[in-house]
Amino acid sequence: MSFYPVPSRPAIAGVEVPGVDRGAARAVMVAVPVSALVWPVRADSGGDGRSALLVAGTSPIATGEPVVWCTVAVTAPAVVRRDGRVQAQGRPCDHARLGAAEQELDRRCGPGTIDRIAAAVRPTGKIKAATKARARREMSVAATIRAVLLMTVMPDADSREVLTTLLGELTAVPWQRPHAVPSPTVLSTWRAAIGETPLQQLQWELLAAVVAEHRDDAEHRDDAAARVEVGGGLRLGAIDGTVTRMPDTAANRAAFGTAGQAETGYPQIRHLHASDAFTRATLAVVCGPAGGDKAGRDKGEAEQALLDRMLAEQPQVFDPDRLWIMDRNFPGVPRIAALLATGSHVLVRVKSDIRLPRIGPFAADGSYLTRLSGGGTSVTMRVVEYHVSIDGATTPELFCLVTDLLDHTTHPAHQLAQAYRWRWDGSETALREAKSAIHDAGPGTGAILRSHNPELIRQEHAAWIVATELVHAATRSAAAIAQPFRKGPRTGQPVAARHLSFTTARRILIATVRAGTATASLPAPTRAAAHQRALTVIATARVTTDRHRRRDHKIKSRQPFPHAPRGITTRTAPAQVHVCGTAA
């Protein structure tokens, strides 16, 4: 076939275009004269007419000549029928990919990660029974995994829209056998057939790769702005728990219970989330029953049980160069001792009803040592107490932290107090970003998963963790190529992943799914450059917390209701930490 390749959008490389530098990273669109297009099907064929157009021999294109501008949908072997029809061999689901998100996954876990995991899955139930009886299948294990991942970052899409997004233009290709977008029932059947194991395996591999990525970053990078550290080179991590609602079915309620009112609250899955405080990257997750109902444990006991599991199942997360920040849901002395036994360090805020007897004099920084005992275990900890003031107004709340970092010269109290505020970024903001990607529940409020039985809830939960971490991975990759800030209070400073919009990154990754299936079968440099273009767009979507507005906001259209008076001015102000026992 003869055609004219025409360079268009920037940031695509790897396609041979005469006269165009391969390193220029250019996209390729195919320009074909209308006069060169030929319908290959014979008039008397009597078939269904499904065929692609062919391109006959062409002469150089003249200015003003009508031209068809084409983009690639897929690369697949041709099947030529006796009546002249030209069709594609294979199935749409075999060519579907997740665009830039899947490239982020393959970059960390190796090429073809989803296909490799899918190859080891043996579907059960109705799918297994129908495999020999019906050769034509609209779905596959790999396509099901991709559909579940995509479903978790498209909160307003039903199953059909998810599959339509995943397959893109593939269903418009004249395949050897007719194919359509699978129905929601087909997707549900396939989800049940593959079970929760492949998604949990994917979660385990990705999070292990993220842990290694952050460890390598700490070992090989000297850029102090690239990570958050306290004295001694410790990197900050955050551990916190959350609950996520699900459909109220008898099976879900029996398996997970509810953390609210046992009779009226939705069933909930509780998970414990360990993340890097600076990048918000997920490092480890364990999940289980919500706790708090009549048959379960309360919130504290439920999260403590999950921490026990995390320490046992994912010990590689607890590096000696990590300082883990935790809120007032006190984990208990035995668990603190178990966490310290891994070599990691802790900075825990304690509740007001926990006694902290002083066992020595106050240090120069206002901190003091205490002895914590419980469950037959005792540990020596250091106590840091402080208030926070903004614009000279001190909040009435006292912050009390305990840590195993006993040297007040290496780890001064003021530095630890400043470090604790990163718990909000590492846990609260990270969890809120993740929950922005799942559904709300009926007349109530709050995030909710979609599945109606426990196995599929665990499958969907693992997919949600993987998909949202791939969005965070994209923001980290985008931050690495972003230009420094050019204006505002951060002028000249490098861009960090937390400065980029999670929502914008999620939407851009979804857009690359719709348009990126074609690149899956193109050369690797082409895929890499397409990925680079997506990251470049993400790198421009920066979060602004304070625009420093110099003039009052003007309403340029008449509103149907009066506005409240603008007597309150919203602005940001730095917080000042006052450590108890010091003059500062």
Side-chain angles (χ1 to χ4, degrees), residues 422-474:
W422 285 95
R423 189 196 72 84
W424 188 267
D425 261 57
S427 290
E428 302 292 347
T429 304
L431 290 171
R432 188 184 309 138
E433 286 178 339
K435 285 193 173 185
S436 71
I438 50 180
H439 271 301
D440 286 342
T445 58
I448 185 170
L449 301 171
R450 310 187 191 199
S451 305
H452 287 72
N453 66 71
E455 183 180 29
L456 294 188
I457 284 290
R458 289 187 289 267
Q459 179 197 79
E460 185 180 353
H461 183 272
W464 172 44
I465 297 299
V466 170
T468 53
E469 179 50 35
L470 290 178
V471 178
H472 281 131

Side-chain angles (χ1 to χ4, degrees), residues 159-412:
S159 298
R160 187 174 293 277
E161 183 177 349
V162 169
L163 292 171
T164 300
T165 301
L166 177 63
L167 296 175
E169 295 297 325
L170 289 173
T171 55
V173 174
W175 297 96
Q176 183 178 5
R177 295 176 180 271
H179 288 275
V181 175
S183 68
T185 301
V186 171
L187 177 58
S188 298
T189 303
W190 273 90
R191 286 188 60 197
I194 69 171
E196 62 190 80
T197 302
L199 273 304
Q200 291 175 338
Q201 173 68 17
L202 189 60
Q203 174 188 311
W204 184 89
E205 290 191 19
L206 176 60
L207 297 190
V210 171
V211 171
E213 174 188 346
H214 282 71
R215 185 180 299 118
D216 292 343
D217 179 78
E219 292 175 354
H220 302 299
R221 295 188 63 177
D222 296 326
D223 182 7
R227 47 201 166 118
V228 179
E229 293 183 346
V230 294
L234 296 178
R235 293 171 298 135
L236 297 183
I239 300 177
D240 202 0
T242 186
V243 290
T244 305
R245 302 163 67 197
M246 64 186 71
D248 190 3
T249 64
N252 284 345
R253 183 170 291 276
F256 298 105
T258 178
Q261 298 178 3
E263 301 300 328
T264 60
Y266 279 90
Q268 297 169 313
I269 186 172
R270 182 178 298 279
H271 85 249
L272 194 66
H273 192 96
S275 59
D276 183 88
F278 189 70
T279 65
R280 300 173 188 162
T282 304
L283 304 177
V285 168
V286 290
C287 61
D293 59 353
K294 294 179 179 178
R297 293 167 290 197
D298 64 15
K299 171 185 175 182
E301 291 178 340
E303 289 191 0
Q304 290 165 11
L306 292 179
L307 180 57
D308 290 340
R309 283 184 47 200
M310 184 178 287
L311 289 168
E313 297 173 5
Q314 304 179 54
Q316 73 280 359
V317 175
F318 299 95
D319 294 330
D321 61 347
R322 278 281 180 191
L323 174 63
W324 294 102
I325 307 173
M326 289 178 277
D327 201 12
R328 284 172 290 187
N329 186 21
F330 193 68
V333 177
R335 289 178 182 84
I336 289 181
L339 199 155
L340 296 180
T342 66
S344 276
H345 306 279
V346 297
L347 184 65
V348 184
R349 187 178 180 187
V350 297
K351 296 180 179 180
S352 59
D353 59 351
I354 296 179
R355 296 189 59 207
L356 301 172
R358 183 165 56 87
I359 61 174
F362 287 100
D365 65 348
S367 62
Y368 62 91
L369 300 183
T370 189
R371 191 73 177 170
L372 294 179
S373 300
T377 304
S378 295
V379 292
T380 299
M381 304 291 282
R382 179 161 150 246
V383 181
V384 176
E385 296 176 331
Y386 63 96
H387 294 278
V388 176
S389 66
I390 300 177
D391 279 355
T394 302
T395 64
E397 187 174 12
L398 173 70
F399 289 80
C400 182
L401 312 178
V402 295
T403 180
D404 66 302
L405 301 173
L406 306 182
D407 188 348
H408 68 275
T409 58
T410 305
H411 307 100

